[in-house]
Amino acid sequence: FKMAVPKLLTLVFVLEPGKVLLGLKKRGFGVGWWNGFGGKVQPGETVEMAAKRELKEESGLAVTELDKVGVLTFEFVNDPPLLEVHVFRTYDYDGTPVETEEMSPKWFEHDEIPFDKMWVDDVLWYPLMLQDKYFDAYFKFEGMEKLLSYKITERNS
């Protein structure tokens, strides 16, 4: 039994003290849910290049420095391949967030994050990400809304 090669994805969080920029997904995978900005890594791109490109395409923001938070691995029962999501954060960006075909951006205070309109795993690891911690995590889903099991491991950097 050979696992399929994981699908590489990026996820970027733009932060200000006490606030996070999220985008309401307007189409495609996870439509109608709030999330960070990101997408697929294209051939010839590094993960970080892809993260910067997707952030620009989806929010209009440009970044030079990204802090790598960790890797989230998602298994969907009976739906290979695994998704390997590389998570980044930044407090340093250029531009003003704009609505795009893909995303409608909005700033949220930490205590106002709309977890009821997000992936169900988000509430488990956002607190670590917002506290500038580093971690890796594994989530096993059945469909898009039923989380069967998970493991989150904090790292030093």
Side-chain angles (χ1 to χ4, degrees), residues 16-35:
E16 287 191 353
K19 293 199 292 194
V20 58
L21 184 69
L22 298 176
L24 183 64
K25 193 82 193 285
K26 291 162 63 176
R27 63 180 189 198
F29 195 58
V31 65
W33 289 352
W34 293 93
N35 207 341

Side-chain angles (χ1 to χ4, degrees), residues 24-152:
L24 183 64
K25 193 82 193 285
K26 291 162 63 176
R27 63 180 189 198
F29 195 58
V31 65
W33 289 352
W34 293 93
N35 207 341
F37 302 89
K40 295 183 195 68
V41 178
Q42 305 293 353
E45 274 185 325
T46 64
V47 172
E48 191 164 320
M49 281 163 62
K52 291 176 180 176
R53 176 184 53 76
E54 289 278 356
L55 177 66
K56 181 90 172 131
E57 286 175 7
E58 292 185 343
S59 74
L61 298 179
V63 289
T64 42
E65 293 285 313
L66 285 174
D67 184 23
K68 176 125 183 220
V69 176
V71 177
L72 309 178
T73 303
F74 292 90
E75 176 187 349
F76 292 89
V77 177
N78 301 324
D79 187 13
L82 296 176
L83 303 185
E84 184 180 301
V85 181
H86 292 251
V87 181
F88 299 88
R89 72 184 147 223
T90 183
Y91 288 89
D92 190 19
Y93 61 91
D94 287 311
T96 304
V98 292
E99 182 160 343
T100 60
E101 288 182 12
E102 187 101 10
M103 294 286 237
S104 178
K106 185 180 172 194
W107 289 101
F108 289 95
E109 301 282 337
H110 288 184
D111 59 1
E112 292 173 351
I113 294 171
F115 287 116
D116 58 332
K117 297 186 186 72
M118 295 165 68
W119 284 88
V120 293
D121 60 281
D122 289 354
V123 71
L124 302 169
W125 59 266
Y126 266 54
L128 293 172
M129 186 268 298
L130 296 171
Q131 291 165 46
D132 296 329
K133 297 198 167 152
Y134 299 90
F135 56 91
D136 295 307
Y138 189 95
F139 300 100
K140 185 174 182 175
F141 274 86
E142 189 179 307
M144 288 174 69
E145 301 193 33
K146 188 174 178 192
L147 181 60
L148 300 177
S149 62
Y150 70 94
K151 181 179 185 206
I152 298 173

